Amino acid sequence: MWRELLPVGRHEPTGGYRRHAWTSADGECRAWFEEQARKRGLSYEVDRNGNQWAWSGDPMAGNAIVTGSHLDSVPDGGAYDGPLGVVSAFAALDALQERGATGGRPLAIVNFGDEEGARFGVACTGSRLMTGALEPGHARSLQDAAGVTLGAAMERAGQDPDAIGRDDERLARIDAYVELHVEQGRNLGEAPVGVASAIWPHGRWRFDFHGQANHAGTTRLEDRRDPMLAYAATVLNARERARLAGALATFGKVSVEPNGTNAIASRVTAWLDSRAADAATLDMLVKEIIHESGAEVTRESYTPVVEFDGPLRDRLAARLGGVPVLPTGAGHDAGILASAVPTAMLFVRNPTGVSHSPAEHAEEADCLAGVAALATVLEDLL
Ligand SMILES: [Zn+2]
């Protein structure tokens, strides 16, 4: 499975993946998923929101156990974030079938569409639409950098954008969702596999710093209104405030006008991503950063803390013999689904902690331990 996925959407100069939602690379990943389903004799379907499903057993039974993840990537992402969960799901199903342990309930493997939000700016679009966390009209109007709307992109990929929205009928068929994912820090230590306890609350804020464009060679320093200075101070302040709060604050995207080497900027627009263990800490931190920035600030998204289902989490941890149980700062479809169905996550060790980068890695032995762990918990749940 890895051999087939390896070249898809790979950007040779960086070695990273560019599998953005509803592009041809994403389409190739989706074709791969469909082929995996068909060659195992699973019933294959695409739901109203563009998520792909492969079913072992009766899809309409109403008590399904679901596993899977996503196949799209961030710009120049790694090979494992997303695909590890989908590949492991198929491998775990194979293992269960081999030992005749597919149980009494249907098992579905899912590939959630547009998890990273790399193209249209909203993460977990497929699962958010399914659970009603994203309003269909707003989703359809989201635009990529070229001005193409999500609605148009879905239509081009053969999806009906008018059909998107909350899918109660499908949610009612699911008894539990378990997502396996590569760890995105290095908190597992000696353990190859762990169980998630919670996802930190997180959000994205847009900062607009206004100034006045002028000549870099003729404008005296005291006459300048240079928004780059306020931006730079804000980046440093955010970093220091986050450190003091035990939280995270990152400016990873910036756009400058007119963006000329010999021109003082007229405007700097930058995006803050901030996360903390609890909402009060996050709110306080972001309030301070905004207050001290002098910028005009718009909150673009906010995802509250997710506590994964307690009984399910404890059952997984016990079944796996006391593996670490730890929170994460990264968002996942499992975090979105947790509002609608009992949800749990397994993490596979990441030796360097690097993620969302071509250097993202997991050892083969750890990946195989992840498949074995997933098969064990699925067998228990089925
Ligand atoms: Zn992911």
Side-chain angles (χ1 to χ4, degrees):
M1 287 188 271
W2 283 118
R3 243 193 316 276
E4 290 164 3
L5 278 173
L6 212 60
V8 180
R10 191 178 158 97
H11 186 63
E12 284 309 327
T14 60
Y17 288 95
R18 298 183 175 182
R19 297 165 174 164
H20 301 162
W22 309 113
T23 59
S24 60
D26 185 43
E28 279 182 66
C29 288
R30 294 171 65 85
W32 173 87
F33 182 96
E34 181 175 355
E35 192 199 316
Q36 295 303 313
R38 298 219 186 274
K39 74 181 187 197
R40 286 174 174 82
L42 305 173
S43 31
Y44 169 77
E45 55 175 350
V46 181
D47 71 20
R48 296 199 274 114
N49 297 303
N51 307 308
Q52 295 179 294
W53 299 77
W55 292 85
S56 163
D58 179 8
M60 303 309 289
N63 59 349
I65 302 300
V66 180
T67 187
S69 192
H70 62 95
L71 293 173
D72 69 321
S73 79
V74 294
D76 290 324
Y80 299 87
D81 180 353
L84 184 63
V86 179
V87 168
S88 298
F90 282 116
L93 173 62
D94 293 344
L96 291 178
Q97 279 177 339
E98 239 162 66
R99 58 185 194 241
T102 42
R105 299 161 183 261
L107 173 67
I109 296 173
V110 63
N111 167 32
F112 282 111
D114 198 359
E115 194 273 345
E116 297 289 4
R119 183 172 173 194
F120 298 100
V122 174
C124 302
T125 301
S127 54
R128 278 187 210 269
L129 284 169
M130 181 174 161
T131 56
L134 179 60
E135 198 271 311
H138 174 61
R140 275 189 290 271
S141 68
L142 293 168
Q143 289 189 4
D144 69 7
V148 178
T149 64
L150 174 60
M154 287 184 86
E155 198 159 13
R156 249 176 249 172
Q159 289 289 312
D160 175 8
D162 292 328
I164 64 174
R166 187 176 164 97
D167 197 342
D168 287 308
E169 183 274 326
R170 183 165 296 270
L171 288 168
R173 294 196 237 152
I174 306 172
D175 266 10
Y177 175 57
V178 180
E179 179 169 357
L180 178 147
H181 204 280
V182 66
E183 233 272 86
Q184 292 171 290
R186 44 184 179 89
N187 299 315
L188 280 177
E190 295 302 300
V193 176
V195 173
S197 56
I199 299 179
W200 283 14
H202 60 277
R204 296 177 181 187
W205 290 262
R206 172 188 160 131
F207 284 60
D208 284 294
F209 298 89
H210 300 281
Q212 189 176 38
N214 214 329
H215 196 294
T218 58
T219 317
R220 294 186 304 179
L221 291 179
E222 58 269 35
D223 292 340
R224 298 181 180 200
R225 282 179 51 221
D226 185 351
M228 200 65 94
L229 300 181
Y231 166 61
T234 301
V235 174
L236 297 175
N237 187 44
R239 164 69 184 237
E240 180 59 8
R241 290 251 172 230
R243 188 183 69 77
L244 293 171
L248 299 166
T250 308
F251 281 94
K253 176 175 165 181
V254 61
S255 127
V256 178
E257 286 172 29
N259 206 24
T261 306
N262 58 356
I264 297 159
S266 61
R267 176 170 154 146
V268 174
T269 302
W271 284 263
L272 169 71
D273 174 306
S274 191
R275 306 162 194 237
D278 60 85
T281 305
L282 180 59
D283 292 351
M284 178 60 75
L285 170 64
V286 172
K287 211 172 272 174
E288 288 168 349
I289 297 170
I290 291 173
H291 178 72
E292 287 155 19
S293 72
E296 190 186 315
V297 179
T298 316
R299 191 177 84 178
E300 292 197 335
S301 73
Y302 184 83
T303 310
V305 66
V306 174
E307 299 280 358
F308 287 113
D309 187 77
L312 183 60
R313 176 198 64 210
D314 295 346
R315 185 170 169 178
L316 262 60
R319 201 77 188 72
L320 297 174
V323 298
V325 178
L326 69 176
T328 176
H332 298 286
D333 292 310
I336 305 299
L337 238 46
S339 68
V341 297
T343 296
M345 287 192 80
L346 295 177
F347 290 128
V348 169
R349 177 164 54 188
N350 179 333
T352 59
V354 172
S355 182
H356 284 188
S357 146
E360 180 184 272
H361 184 66
E363 295 294 339
E364 186 175 329
D366 291 351
C367 294
L368 291 173
V371 171
L374 183 60
T376 298
V377 304
L378 291 176
E379 181 174 359
D380 182 37
L381 294 171
L382 290 167

